[in-house]
């Protein structure tokens, strides 16, 4: 009886692997056909002369670092620090209760936690400076003929997301797509169900998906990330090695 159960399990496993291989082949054939279709001039002419797959920009904007590149490449083209800076005070139109100082660099935690909210126009100026840095300084390209995919943090302020979209469209981008960053991490593994835990710089986020659908009730975050790990490292170094980082000109980048 035990041998029959084992044989049946092996047969089920072999059938499941065969179905998965068949789905992968079908997906690859569909992808190739999609590229050939978009390669025709009468379709791509509206969005420029390039191919949608090859020209699509992908941006992963984190609270500390951002990764930028293209969809058809195996890895990011650039990994850079996320510059969140305040712009001109007159254009930013800050709230009366909002502390504002032009050109000041904001703390990364502003994307998830903030005691004093930023005005929508302030977010617009922040997004303009950030988009200029990511597209023109890091990638050195014009987005007027390329679509953009943004891996969106579920806890981003809506004003920041809207400001990003307006900034892209101002530069002539033909299309912007915001994709849940936690769900996309599960998608690239080839699975449809699972739990994603994203340990970031300031926060740790978790989210579950079932059969390709996000389960909103499972979303959660805690204010624990690499920043707190680094602070704990400072304390241990001071206690064990008598090395006090506060007494020396050592910034967080060097500690990382």
């Amino acid at each position: 009886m035990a041998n029959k159960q084992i044989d049946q399990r092996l047969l089920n496993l072999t059938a499941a692997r065969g179905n998965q291989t068949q789905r992968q082949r079908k997906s690859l054939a569909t992808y190739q056909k999609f590229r050939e279709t978009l390669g025709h001039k009468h379709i791509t002419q509206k969005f420029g002369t390039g191919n949608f797959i090859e020209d699509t920009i992908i941006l992963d904007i984190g609270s500390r670092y951002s990764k930028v590149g293209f969809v058809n490449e195996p890895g990011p083209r650039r990994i850079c620090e996320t510059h969140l800076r305040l712009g001109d005070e007159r254009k930013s139109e800050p709230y009366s209760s909002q502390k504002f100082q032009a050109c000041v660099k904001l703390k990364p935690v502003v994307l998830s936690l903030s005691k004093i909210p930023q005005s929508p126009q302030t977010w617009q100026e922040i997004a303009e400076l950030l988009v200029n840095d990511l597209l023109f300084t890091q990638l050195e390209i014009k987005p007027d003929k390329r679509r953009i995919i943004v891996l969106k943090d579920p806890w981003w302020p809506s004003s920041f997301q809207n400001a990003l979209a307006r900034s892209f469209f101002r530069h002539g981008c033909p299309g912007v797509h915001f994709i849940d960053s936690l769900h996309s991490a599960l998608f690239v593994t080839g699975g449809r169900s699972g739990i994603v835990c994203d340990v970031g710089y300031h926060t740790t986020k978790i989210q579950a998906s079932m059969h390709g659908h996000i389960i909103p009730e499972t979303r959660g975050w805690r204010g624990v990330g690499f920043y707190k790990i680094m602070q704990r490292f400072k304390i241990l170094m001071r206690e064990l090695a008598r090395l006090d980082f506060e007494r020396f000109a050592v910034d967080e980048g060097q500690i990382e």
Side-chain angles (χ1 to χ4, degrees), residues 15-71:
R17 289 179 177 176
N19 294 335
Q20 183 179 3
T21 303
Q22 186 177 1
R23 286 197 302 269
Q24 291 176 349
R25 291 176 180 175
K26 184 177 180 181
S27 177
L28 179 59
T30 304
Y31 167 75
Q32 292 176 344
K33 184 177 179 181
F34 181 60
R35 289 194 60 176
E36 293 174 359
T37 303
L38 291 175
H40 296 305
K41 293 182 179 181
H42 69 280
I43 293 181
T44 58
Q45 189 173 4
K46 180 179 179 181
F47 303 108
T49 57
N51 185 291
F52 169 76
I53 296 294
E54 296 179 353
D55 289 347
T56 300
I57 303 168
I58 185 164
L59 304 178
D60 184 2
I61 303 174
S63 59
R64 178 67 169 170
Y65 295 103
S66 293
K67 296 176 281 291
V68 296
F70 299 93
V71 170

Side-chain angles (χ1 to χ4, degrees), residues 13-206:
L13 181 61
T14 304
R17 289 179 177 176
N19 294 335
Q20 183 179 3
T21 303
Q22 186 177 1
R23 286 197 302 269
Q24 291 176 349
R25 291 176 180 175
K26 184 177 180 181
S27 177
L28 179 59
T30 304
Y31 167 75
Q32 292 176 344
K33 184 177 179 181
F34 181 60
R35 289 194 60 176
E36 293 174 359
T37 303
L38 291 175
H40 296 305
K41 293 182 179 181
H42 69 280
I43 293 181
T44 58
Q45 189 173 4
K46 180 179 179 181
F47 303 108
T49 57
N51 185 291
F52 169 76
I53 296 294
E54 296 179 353
D55 289 347
T56 300
I57 303 168
I58 185 164
L59 304 178
D60 184 2
I61 303 174
S63 59
R64 178 67 169 170
Y65 295 103
S66 293
K67 296 176 281 291
V68 296
F70 299 93
V71 170
N72 65 322
E73 295 182 350
R77 181 73 65 90
R78 294 284 188 275
I79 299 177
C80 59
E81 186 177 352
T82 302
H83 295 289
L84 300 173
R85 298 182 182 275
L86 294 175
D88 180 71
E89 184 173 0
R90 180 180 60 83
K91 295 180 179 180
S92 298
E93 301 177 5
Y95 294 136
S96 58
S97 59
Q98 178 183 334
K99 295 181 180 180
F100 192 96
Q101 185 177 354
C103 301
V104 167
K105 183 179 179 182
L106 298 176
K107 294 182 179 180
V109 72
V110 73
L111 286 179
S112 55
L113 300 172
S114 181
K115 296 181 179 179
I116 301 177
Q118 311 287 336
S119 68
Q121 196 58 33
T122 300
W123 278 118
Q124 188 62 50
E125 291 299 309
I126 294 172
E128 291 284 351
L129 296 174
L130 178 61
V131 168
N132 289 340
D133 178 58
L134 296 179
L135 296 183
F136 301 115
T137 303
Q138 302 300 330
L139 286 180
E140 300 180 350
I141 59 167
K142 293 182 179 181
D144 55 342
K145 296 180 180 180
R146 295 175 171 88
R147 297 188 183 186
I148 298 178
I149 295 177
V150 181
L151 300 183
K152 179 192 68 172
D153 189 322
W155 284 272
W156 272 356
S158 59
S159 297
F160 177 64
Q161 180 177 334
N162 296 336
L164 282 176
R166 282 193 292 267
S167 298
F168 293 136
F169 288 131
R170 284 182 181 179
H171 292 297
C173 176
V176 180
H177 309 272
F178 289 92
I179 301 176
D180 189 290
S181 60
L182 300 177
H183 191 59
S184 63
L186 177 63
F187 173 77
V188 297
T189 64
R192 294 173 57 83
S193 301
I195 300 176
V196 178
C197 182
D198 180 9
V199 181
Y201 189 72
H202 276 282
T203 59
T204 297
K205 299 174 283 290
I206 189 170

